[in-house]
């Protein structure tokens, strides 16, 4: 609803009210005016009127001219530098596609964001050094060429490197460095800090990184005060649910160390973001409603004079009635078109444009292209306290590309420019290039002693050096001997427990260790009691930025709920996306903050790789180190919950991630060995790996870990036991996780029928498969060489999981797999295992059939 939705039935009365308010403002100031408005709004919200103010402010800058801080830099030099960055970025992409048309790349996104980046680089983005812990900057992924262009100017990349943009394999053959398409720390481990190429992952990750910095500060692990998290994202990207899912958390946690810059160039890949509406207005409502400080950066300095002369509000009214689809058309057209079709709408606008040439109208900047306005917005956001801030920066996609791409529907995919377009681009930004250099896409870098290069180096030196820059220096965190925290699991002596219970006990013991304990970050998504972790509430507390302001209902219980400013558990509510973002922040703390932390995120396994697999893949790209615990795993373990809670595929998906080690242990002793090895690999050896370990809530007798089994546990399997006679018919049974107990029952039943059985405990199908692809003498081959007869493999996952090792079964041995293909069901564990044919009876039947077929 806006001012134009209803007719004014009494203009004179309206004018009196307006004049009265103007008089109050003039006589008593803004504070009194706000008080009166608050009083009126309170009255209007009552049931008789039921009105609340619109959360959209006029389509103008939040920061008026009179409140703009003085620009601290040399405007002319910064504009020249920005123009050179634009050119080198464009040349890089166009060169690659002129030579290899399939490489792709993006020009238009960085063309719209270049000035937003440059103000940050020159005045705000702190790198880590001895005096400053460093800011975290999440760069809009399609603008990566611009970041490479700046690195080239700084001497971090060579002209040859730029020539191998998106040619990472070929570059190595020529002694050059290939440049990845988007920010990928795995591919450029000393350059990019945060992977943002998958839309929406960057925004949610930035929020949880900002919150994790408060967590580190409040727990006195590391003082992160004075550091900021900056995120430059696209307006189209805001449609991703991950982008929006944690906005209220950022406000609730008062993350004033967080600043988002949303590059509102009004275009997605195919056309306008909101062709029939205004995305800036929509985002203002969304962020303001979520509790953010919203700064609209809409118009550049050239518009200030027009607004000053517009005493009737004609400009603001015209903008309020112009949807983004039309605004895109204005961006694509020239000054003559905009004079006739925008300023020509009425006499008031015509008078405002009088005296302006068509070229001047064409050069009117949107706010996101004006360095002075951008600096004012950044400075205001950086100084704001008590809330996260978002800057909604109005830009043109393909800015400066003229008829070749500015504001065009096809501009996102624009990768080639003809010679005339290149000359026009050179002229538009007054670049020091000859016609031949422009047409030849020559990279340009000023002399080292030029004012531009001196300025660039000095400003980055003041801010701690070049960015982005990924560092990995951190102290080793000692891990206690396994006997100190997991002796109960190694020597279980037949005690009944679930592997989930064993994990929680191990975690509780590790938290007590004076060196490692404080570095552990337990993470749950509203399931701590489900997994038996309620005892940790008292032991280490749940992190809260305000402590605990209430007496919990269960305060008299030994397991009562306890929140604390220095609480250690991150309890994320019902948000797997938030929990994995928290895990990523902790798992990459060693590189982001130079302080190693060890996160353990436990969750229903179905809601991991299947639900937030993209975020896990991004964590892998960021070289995360930590543990993911898929609890109540498998398709038959969590019997009564049914299809949506029953996981039969997570090990299939996790196996696709190269730096993820996946394990499905059946016994507590196996679990302890895996956890111990992972901790040492990540904290002591500082390897860029993370572990996925599945856990069950099924109680059964836990045997002692067999002697000398640890190495096999880690390689993926070991011989658990033999049953029945040594002579005569023999069969080999393989099982993992919860189904290993069914395998053992089947072996015992077969032994009673006179069949000799060897049972192998398979702790990791994927590690066996990787070993098989890498080694001539495979581990599974060595294990099976000690056994005889047909091989039957069973797991609580789809058959494709045990099928992954078929190629490495020795020649002459038949290999059959049993699994839980199909949708899950609700019933008892016994009924489910019989239905999917992974119970002891089905395994026994399969073994007998293979034995019969072999004779």
């Amino acid at each position: 609803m806006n001012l134009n939705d209803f007719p004014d039935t009494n203009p004179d009365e309206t004018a009196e009210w307006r004049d009265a308010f103007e008089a109050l403002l003039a006589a008593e100031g803004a504070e009194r005016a706000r008080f009166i408005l608050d009083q009126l709004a309170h009255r209007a919200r009552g049931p008789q009127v039921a009105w609340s103010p619109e959360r959209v402010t006029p389509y103008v800058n939040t920061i008026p001219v009179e409140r703009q801080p003085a620009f601290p830099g040399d405007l002319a030099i910064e504009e020249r530098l920005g123009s050179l960055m634009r050119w080198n970025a464009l040349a890089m992409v166009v060169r690659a596609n002129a030579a290899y048309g399939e490489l792709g790349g993006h020009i238009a996104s960085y063309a719209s964001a270049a000035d937003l980046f440059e103000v940050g680089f020159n005045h705000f983005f702190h790198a880590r050094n001895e005096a400053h812990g460093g800011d975290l900057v999440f760069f809009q992924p399609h603008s990566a060429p611009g970041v490479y262009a700046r690195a080239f100017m700084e001497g971090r990349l060579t002209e040859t490197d730029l020539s191998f943009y998106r040619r990472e394999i070929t570059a190595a053959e020529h002694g050059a460095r290939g440049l990845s398409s988007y920010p990928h720390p795995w591919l450029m481990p000393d350059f990019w800090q945060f992977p943002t190429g998958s839309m929406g992952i960057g925004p949610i990750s930035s929020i949880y990184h900002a919150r994790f910095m408060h967590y580190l500060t409040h727990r006195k692990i590391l003082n992160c005060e004075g550091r900021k998290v900056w995120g430059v994202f696209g307006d189209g990207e805001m449609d991703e649910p991950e982008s929006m899912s944690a906005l209220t958390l950022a406000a609730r946690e008062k993350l004033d160390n967080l600043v988002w810059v949303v590059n509102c160039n009004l275009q997605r890949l195919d056309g306008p973001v909101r062709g029939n509406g205004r995305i800036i207005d929509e985002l203002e409502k969304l962020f303001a409603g979520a509790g953010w400080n919203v700064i609209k950066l809409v118009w550049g300095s050239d518009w200030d004079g027009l607004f000053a002369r517009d005493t009737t509000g004609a400009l603001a009214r015209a903008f309020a009635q112009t949807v983004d689809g039309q605004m895109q058309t204005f961006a694509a057209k020239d000054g003559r078109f905009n004079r006739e079709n925008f300023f020509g709408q009425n006499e008031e606008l015509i008078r405002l444009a009088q005296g302006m040439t068509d070229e001047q109208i064409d050069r009117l900047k949107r706010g996101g292209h004006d360095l002075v306005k951008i600096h004012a917005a950044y400075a205001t956001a950086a100084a704001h306290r008590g809330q996260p801030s978002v800057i909604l920066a109005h830009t043109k996609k393909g800015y400066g590309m003229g008829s070749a791409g500015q504001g065009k529907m096809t501009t996102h995919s624009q990768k080639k420019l003809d010679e005339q377009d290149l000359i026009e681009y050179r002229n538009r930004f007054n670049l020091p290039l000859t016609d031949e250099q422009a047409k030849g896409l020559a990279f340009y870098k000023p002399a080292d002693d030029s004012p531009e290069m001196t300025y660039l180096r000095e400003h980055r030196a003041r801010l701690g050096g070049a960015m982005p820059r990924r560092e990995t220096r951190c102290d080793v965190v000692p891990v206690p001997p396994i006997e100190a925290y997991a002796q109960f699991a190694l020597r279980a002596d037949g005690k009944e427990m679930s592997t989930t219970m064993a994990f929680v006990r191990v975690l509780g013991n590790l938290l007590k260790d004076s060196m490692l304990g404080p570095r552990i970050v337990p993470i749950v998504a509203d399931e701590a009691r489900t997994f038996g972790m309620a005892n940790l509430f008292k032991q280490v507390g749940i992190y809260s930025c305000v402590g605990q302001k209430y007496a919990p209902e269960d305060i008299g219980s030994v397991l009562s709920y306890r929140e604390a400013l220095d609480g250690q558990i991150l309890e994320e509510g019902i948000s797997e996306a938030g929990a994995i973002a928290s895990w990523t922040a902790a798992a990459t703390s060693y590189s982001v903050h130079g302080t190693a932390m060890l996160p353990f995120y436990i969750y229903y396994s179905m809601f991991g790789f299947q639900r937030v697999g993209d975020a896990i893949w991004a964590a892998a790209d960021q070289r995360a180190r930590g543990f993911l615990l898929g609890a109540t795993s498998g398709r038959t373990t969590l019997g009564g919950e049914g299809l949506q809670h029953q996981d039969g595929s997570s090990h299939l998906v996790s196996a696709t991630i190269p730096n993820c080690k996946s394990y499905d242990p059946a016994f507590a002793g196996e679990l302890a060995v895996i956890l111990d090895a992972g901790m040492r690999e990540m904290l002591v050896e500082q390897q860029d790996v993370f572990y996925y370990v599945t856990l069950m809530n099924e109680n059964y007798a836990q045997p002692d870990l067999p002697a000398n089994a640890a190495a096999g546990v880690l390689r993926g399997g070991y011989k658990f036991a033999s049953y029945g006679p040594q002579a005569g018919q023999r069969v080999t049974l393989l099982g993992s996780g919860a189904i290993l107990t069914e395998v053992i029952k089947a072996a015992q039943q077969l032994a009673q029928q006179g069949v000799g059985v060897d049972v192998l405990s398979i702790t990791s199908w994927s590690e066996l498969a990787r070993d098989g692809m890498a080694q001539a003498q495979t581990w599974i081959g060595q294990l099976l060489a000690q056994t005889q007869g047909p091989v039957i493999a069973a797991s609580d996952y789809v058959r494709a999981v045990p099928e992954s090792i078929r190629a490495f079964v020795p020649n002459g041995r038949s290999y059959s797999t049993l699994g839980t293909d199909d949708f899950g069901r609700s019933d008892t564990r016994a009924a489910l295992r019989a239905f999917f044919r992974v119970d002891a009876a089905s395994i026994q039947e399969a073994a007998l059939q293979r034995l019969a077929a072999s004779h």
Side-chain angles (χ1 to χ4, degrees), residues 342-397:
F342 179 77
F343 288 105
Q345 294 180 71
N346 56 55
E347 288 300 320
E348 293 169 299
L349 294 177
I350 290 172
R351 284 195 296 271
L352 282 177
Q354 282 178 352
M356 296 179 69
T357 66
D358 290 347
E359 183 179 3
Q360 286 175 318
I361 291 174
D362 191 46
R363 292 294 185 101
L364 286 170
K365 288 181 179 178
R366 296 182 181 180
H369 300 304
D370 188 306
L371 301 183
V372 174
K373 297 290 188 183
I374 297 168
H375 178 272
Y378 282 21
T380 301
H384 189 76
R385 295 292 176 264
Q387 292 173 288
S389 292
V390 60
I391 297 166
L392 304 177
H394 194 25
T395 65
K396 293 180 181 180
K397 193 158 191 174

Side-chain angles (χ1 to χ4, degrees), residues 76-207:
I77 288 182
E78 291 197 24
E79 287 182 341
R80 289 200 297 274
L81 281 170
S83 297
L84 293 175
M85 307 296 181
R86 291 177 191 276
W87 171 260
N88 287 329
L90 177 146
M92 184 193 327
V93 176
V94 177
R95 269 189 179 200
N97 282 279
Y100 305 94
E102 76 268 28
L103 289 179
H106 301 276
I107 301 170
S109 292
Y110 177 66
S112 67
D115 300 303
L116 301 173
F117 280 26
E118 283 304 299
V119 171
F121 277 125
N122 287 324
H123 301 284
F124 293 95
F125 299 162
H126 284 268
R128 192 201 307 178
N129 61 13
E130 292 182 0
H132 195 283
D135 292 336
L136 285 56
V137 184
F138 290 75
F139 291 99
Q140 188 178 13
H142 293 101
S143 297
V147 182
Y148 295 140
R150 171 168 266 269
F152 166 62
M153 296 282 280
E154 294 172 335
R156 301 172 65 202
L157 296 176
T158 67
E159 186 171 320
T160 305
D161 295 332
L162 298 194
S163 299
F164 284 94
Y165 170 62
R166 291 195 172 197
R167 295 169 62 203
E168 297 162 75
I169 298 170
T170 312
E173 298 170 1
H174 291 78
R177 176 172 195 171
L179 305 182
S180 61
S181 53
Y182 304 121
H184 290 301
W186 188 265
L187 300 174
M188 300 179 68
D190 62 341
F191 193 89
W192 294 114
Q193 277 191 300
F194 306 107
T196 56
S198 188
M199 298 288 97
I201 302 299
I204 191 172
S205 185
S206 72
I207 290 174

Side-chain angles (χ1 to χ4, degrees), residues 554-814:
D554 59 354
I555 194 169
S557 166
V558 294
L559 303 179
S560 65
Y561 203 77
R562 183 175 76 87
E563 299 184 72
L565 185 64
D566 61 351
Q568 199 159 345
I569 302 169
L570 290 174
E571 214 279 8
E572 301 298 5
I574 305 175
S575 174
E576 285 83 8
I580 197 65
S582 258
W583 180 84
T584 302
T588 57
S589 178
Y590 75 94
S591 65
V592 176
H593 306 294
T595 300
M597 303 294 286
L598 185 66
F600 290 87
Y601 169 33
I602 184 171
Y603 56 89
Y604 278 136
S605 67
M606 187 66 148
F607 304 136
F609 285 87
Q610 177 165 307
R611 186 161 192 163
V612 292
D614 194 13
I616 297 174
W617 189 266
D621 189 351
Q622 202 176 327
R623 297 173 174 258
R625 300 173 185 172
F627 288 95
L628 297 174
L629 291 309
T632 58
S633 63
R635 188 147 278 161
T636 67
T637 301
L638 190 62
E641 293 283 354
L643 185 151
Q644 199 61 32
H645 285 68
Q646 292 173 346
D647 164 32
S649 58
S650 66
H651 275 286
L652 197 62
V653 182
S654 67
T656 65
I657 301 179
N659 54 337
C660 174
K661 293 190 173 184
S662 303
Y663 290 92
D664 185 32
F667 300 126
E670 298 171 353
L671 172 65
V673 167
I674 293 163
L675 295 177
D676 187 73
M679 289 188 292
R680 296 182 193 285
E681 193 170 7
M682 292 182 272
L683 295 176
V684 179
E685 299 171 24
Q686 299 190 356
Q687 297 297 308
D688 294 340
V689 297
F690 66 99
Y691 278 53
Y692 173 55
V693 185
T694 42
L695 307 173
M696 283 73 70
N697 64 344
E698 182 179 359
N699 290 322
Y700 46 75
Q702 298 285 338
D704 292 352
L705 184 71
N708 303 316
V713 168
L714 298 176
R715 295 192 70 174
Y718 65 96
K719 184 174 180 180
F720 175 74
S722 295
Y723 301 86
Q726 294 300 307
Q729 288 187 313
R730 297 196 66 77
V731 67
T732 303
L733 302 183
L734 280 58
S736 70
I739 302 305
L740 181 59
T741 59
E742 299 292 334
V743 167
I744 293 170
K745 291 176 191 174
Q748 292 167 342
Q749 292 164 6
L750 287 166
Q752 291 173 5
Q753 296 177 264
V755 177
V757 185
D758 293 306
V759 173
L760 302 187
S761 175
I762 304 301
T763 52
S764 176
W765 302 98
S766 56
E767 286 300 296
L768 288 177
R770 288 174 180 174
D771 173 82
M773 289 183 283
Q775 307 293 331
Q777 181 69 22
T778 68
W779 181 244
I780 187 63
Q782 293 178 55
L783 290 175
L784 291 176
Q786 304 168 35
T787 70
Q788 299 175 24
V791 182
I792 313 296
S795 83
D796 213 6
Y797 298 88
V798 294
R799 289 178 57 235
V801 174
E803 282 288 337
S804 65
I805 68 166
R806 176 179 289 277
F808 314 114
V809 174
N811 292 332
R813 302 285 293 277
S814 68

Side-chain angles (χ1 to χ4, degrees), residues 482-565:
I482 189 170
E483 294 80 9
Y485 63 86
Q487 185 67 19
F488 76 94
L490 300 173
R491 297 290 176 264
D493 195 27
K495 182 179 180 181
E496 284 206 354
M497 72 178 85
S498 67
T499 50
T500 298
M501 185 188 305
F503 163 72
V504 173
R505 187 169 171 184
V506 166
L507 182 64
N509 290 341
L510 289 171
L511 285 165
K512 297 172 184 175
D513 184 79
S514 61
M515 298 294 289
L516 175 60
R519 301 298 185 95
I520 290 175
V521 184
I523 302 172
V524 290
D526 195 44
E527 293 158 339
R529 295 186 193 275
T530 301
F531 302 133
M533 296 172 65
N535 61 308
L536 299 183
F537 294 165
K538 278 285 185 70
Q539 182 178 339
V540 295
I542 300 162
Y543 171 70
S544 167
C545 67
V546 295
Q548 191 164 43
K549 297 182 175 181
Y550 61 94
E553 172 275 328
D554 59 354
I555 194 169
S557 166
V558 294
L559 303 179
S560 65
Y561 203 77
R562 183 175 76 87
E563 299 184 72
L565 185 64

